[in-house]
Amino acid sequence: MHKYFKLLIHRVFSLFLFSLIAINLNAGQIAITFDDAPLPGSKLMDGKEKTTAIIKALKQHKVPSATFFLTMQNIGSKKDVARLKQYDDAGYKLAHHSFSHLSASKNNFEQYKNDFIKADKKLFLLGLNNVIKQHRFPFLHHGDTDKKRAKIKDLLNENGYSLGYVTVDNFDWYINSKAVEAFNNGKQIDFDNLKELYIDALWYSITFYDDLAKNYLKRSPKHVLLLHENELAALFLGDLIEHIKSKGWEIISPEVAYKDPIANIKKDLKFNKQGRVAALAHDKGANKIELRSKTENISHLDDLFIKYKVIKNDE
């Protein structure tokens, strides 16, 4: 009897150990980044409240680091610079996201170059300590021709810039704009339902691009999440972080994420507007229709607003 009991214990322990290994293999890693800082405030909250809330969430939930990609035309006053100083003083990185948010695909190279240089000059005149030479393309557009992409790549290299790519694209900007517009128009918002929609939509995007990576890259890379420095980030960032952690994922710094092997791809990737994982999947033969999640569809998000009953008495 003792022999069979020992065998049973051994089998239970083996199953437990196997489950731990399986969880570890499936656990993802993701860094948090923000575009378009400093975005203006709204009736929902002003700019300073937004910045303060985002920093509080990052600190409370022990996010090791975050990067804010600055759109320079958004810096129009001393208050805007003061908000950036809050991020700087908190130890977060500040990077380059263009001057006027030009698309590299919809503008010629000279226009993009002039805008890039104008932003570069202003970025380093801010007098902040944590400015880094990292560029993120507006709209994630790298350029619509091989020649233009090559020239822009040379522009970045000549000015000492690395690429602040993303792996997880999403439409958090649309969810935010729709909620803020409704609030500004005096409509009643169910913020608990809005939080649920926000978290579910972003988690869907994360798992969508992670599954895409596993399918085409045969592994889960160190991910980079694109968020915007907006009201919903200020309201729900902490809840989003906790949700990600509850799924067994680890929040890492952008610095660690950009050490992943996918950061060192030398070849020209022709499909870039959904981020690096989608670009690599396309390069390996994925059809474009596979590369965009349903949460990057405005009609689908409109339906979710109704399904989640975010706007009260909205039809």
Side-chain angles (χ1 to χ4, degrees):
M1 190 72 176
H2 178 66
K3 175 183 177 182
Y4 291 111
F5 180 74
K6 287 176 67 177
L7 181 62
L8 178 62
I9 293 294
H10 176 73
R11 286 180 176 175
V12 169
F13 179 76
S14 296
L15 286 170
F16 175 71
L17 185 61
F18 179 79
S19 67
L20 284 179
I21 293 171
I23 289 171
N24 185 56
L25 287 174
N26 290 323
Q29 295 179 305
I30 194 163
I32 297 175
T33 65
F34 301 85
D35 278 9
D36 296 340
L39 283 169
S42 66
K43 289 182 180 179
L44 189 54
M45 66 176 68
D46 66 31
K48 182 176 174 57
E49 289 172 327
K50 186 151 54 74
T51 294
T52 301
I54 289 172
I55 292 172
K56 182 179 179 181
L58 292 170
K59 292 294 185 185
Q60 282 188 342
H61 296 276
K62 297 179 171 55
V63 174
S65 185
T67 301
F68 293 80
F69 288 86
L70 312 187
T71 302
M72 298 302 162
Q73 68 178 6
N74 291 348
I75 307 170
S77 69
K78 290 182 179 179
K79 288 183 179 180
D80 296 327
V81 177
R83 286 171 57 195
L84 296 180
K85 191 173 187 306
Q86 282 185 263
Y87 292 127
D88 190 59
D89 289 344
Y92 302 117
K93 300 294 189 295
L94 304 170
H96 187 297
H97 193 44
S98 82
F99 190 89
S100 53
H101 211 269
L102 286 186
S103 163
S105 297
K106 296 180 180 179
N107 294 273
N108 65 44
F109 171 72
E110 287 302 321
Q111 289 172 316
Y112 198 83
K113 176 183 177 180
N114 292 338
D115 187 86
F116 178 92
I117 292 172
K118 185 177 180 181
D120 174 65
K121 289 178 179 177
K122 186 167 184 176
L123 180 63
F124 286 92
L125 287 174
L126 293 173
L128 301 173
N129 296 316
N130 291 309
V131 171
I132 59 173
K133 285 208 164 191
Q134 192 169 69
H135 176 65
R136 176 168 292 166
F137 288 95
F139 309 103
L140 306 183
H141 291 175
H142 290 211
D144 53 328
T145 66
D146 297 349
K147 183 178 180 181
K148 191 191 291 184
R149 286 192 297 274
K151 291 174 78 171
I152 293 175
K153 185 176 181 180
D154 288 343
L155 173 67
L156 267 61
N157 289 336
E158 288 164 6
N159 287 277
Y161 276 82
S162 62
L163 177 61
Y165 64 80
V166 309
T167 66
V168 180
D169 192 18
N170 62 84
F171 272 24
D172 73 315
W173 59 270
Y174 181 75
I175 301 171
N176 188 83
S177 65
K178 189 176 178 71
V180 169
E181 181 182 18
F183 187 86
N184 287 345
N185 290 334
K187 294 184 178 181
Q188 284 187 294
I189 305 292
D190 188 315
F191 284 95
D192 288 334
N193 292 353
L194 177 59
K195 177 175 70 176
E196 186 179 0
L197 186 158
Y198 179 79
I199 291 172
D200 286 352
L202 284 167
W203 179 244
Y204 184 90
S205 295
I206 291 168
T207 55
F208 174 87
Y209 285 104
D210 192 50
D211 288 344
L212 193 66
K214 289 174 181 175
N215 190 19
Y216 285 96
L217 309 184
K218 306 307 178 186
R219 69 182 184 90
S220 176
K222 292 177 171 61
H223 284 285
V224 179
L225 175 63
L226 188 162
L227 294 176
H228 288 82
E229 197 239 21
N230 57 28
E231 287 82 354
L232 296 195
L235 287 170
F236 306 135
L237 178 60
D239 300 288
L240 175 64
I241 292 167
E242 285 305 304
H243 184 82
I244 292 170
K245 288 180 177 179
S246 76
K247 299 298 184 179
W249 281 50
E250 178 188 2
I251 307 294
I252 60 175
S253 70
E255 294 87 342
V256 169
Y258 288 128
K259 291 179 181 178
D260 191 275
I262 65 171
N264 298 314
I265 303 299
K266 303 300 181 185
K267 69 186 299 185
D268 179 35
L269 298 171
K270 301 182 186 299
F271 182 87
N272 292 286
K273 60 183 179 178
Q274 256 74 55
R276 177 139 293 196
V277 163
L280 289 168
H282 179 265
D283 187 65
K284 291 180 179 294
N287 191 299
K288 288 181 181 180
I289 62 173
E290 298 179 60
L291 305 178
R292 189 184 184 99
S293 74
K294 65 183 180 181
T295 47
E296 294 170 82
N297 181 291
I298 287 173
S299 296
H300 177 71
L301 292 173
D302 286 340
D303 290 340
L304 288 184
F305 265 77
I306 296 170
K307 178 183 177 181
Y308 283 70
K309 299 179 180 178
V310 171
I311 303 172
K312 296 180 181 178
N313 302 319
D314 194 38
E315 296 181 0

